[in-house]
Amino acid sequence: LATVGTGVNGQGIYTDAGAAIMTAGGSITLTAPTTGILLNNDLTLGGNTSLIGGSSSVAFGGTIDGPYNLTVAGGSLTFAAAIGGVTPLKTLSVSSLDGITLPSISAASVLVATTGATADITLSGALAATGNNTAITLASARDFINNDGTAALSASNGRWLVFSVDPSYDTIGGLIASFRRFDCAYGG
């Protein structure tokens, strides 16, 4: 499904119901490169899902659950509630031109990257990943801000990595890293 015009409520792709289940017997890709995507309800993934907003916004008005991969990219991203709180996601991959505030997330692996010059990554909930090796990667184009405290990042079977431009501007919120290295750019 792709849209190039303006749909309901000024959004290219828009839902507003009690809950939505995205399933097509396989992978789903929704693209709205100039008009945005607004999923204004709880979302249960029924297959691997990609939501591509291009330079426009992608917004979630409720929880996101389901044991599948979710890829989200857009100019700006908004998450109103937990991701994987009831049923953890397999892989969550997020890319935003603007800064992003992340809610609580539970998945096997989490990759979040911001690309704009003033684009921070802010944690407002705990991120938990069960994957091996690097289970959580946060790559901020500017600052990393942890508003959730000492248990904000948990990689039970692996490790977590945070990249930012200048660690002196980061707010680590009590996180304790087992290794710190400076002057390393995220290679994506």
Side-chain angles (χ1 to χ4, degrees):
L1 177 63
T3 181
V4 293
T6 301
V8 178
N9 291 338
Q11 299 294 314
I13 299 171
Y14 175 79
T15 66
D16 194 6
I21 298 174
M22 297 187 82
T23 182
S27 297
I28 298 170
T29 300
L30 301 178
T31 303
T34 58
T35 55
I37 300 170
L38 173 59
L39 302 174
N40 199 25
N41 48 14
D42 292 341
L43 176 65
T44 300
L45 304 177
N48 295 334
T49 303
S50 296
L51 303 172
I52 311 301
S55 61
S56 61
S57 65
V58 178
F60 296 88
T63 61
I64 305 166
D65 287 295
Y68 296 98
N69 299 328
L70 175 61
T71 301
V72 182
S76 65
L77 305 178
T78 305
F79 297 96
I83 300 171
V86 175
T87 306
L89 276 60
K90 185 173 180 184
T91 299
L92 175 65
S93 178
V94 174
S95 176
S96 177
L97 177 63
D98 295 339
I100 186 169
T101 298
L102 298 173
S104 296
I105 297 172
S106 180
S109 68
V110 177
L111 167 63
V112 177
T114 59
T115 58
T118 61
D120 300 335
I121 293 177
T122 303
L123 303 183
S124 68
L127 278 60
T130 58
N132 295 320
N133 301 318
T134 304
I136 299 173
T137 302
L138 305 177
S140 176
R142 191 171 75 167
D143 301 334
F144 168 71
I145 302 162
N146 171 16
N147 290 330
D148 196 62
T150 59
L153 299 176
S154 172
S156 58
N157 298 315
R159 66 180 182 165
W160 51 264
L161 296 176
V162 175
F163 296 86
S164 67
V165 173
D166 185 343
S168 67
Y169 293 114
D170 292 345
T171 303
I172 60 171
L175 282 173
I176 298 173
S178 60
F179 174 76
R180 293 186 71 170
R181 181 170 176 164
F182 302 101
D183 246 357
C184 293
Y186 174 67

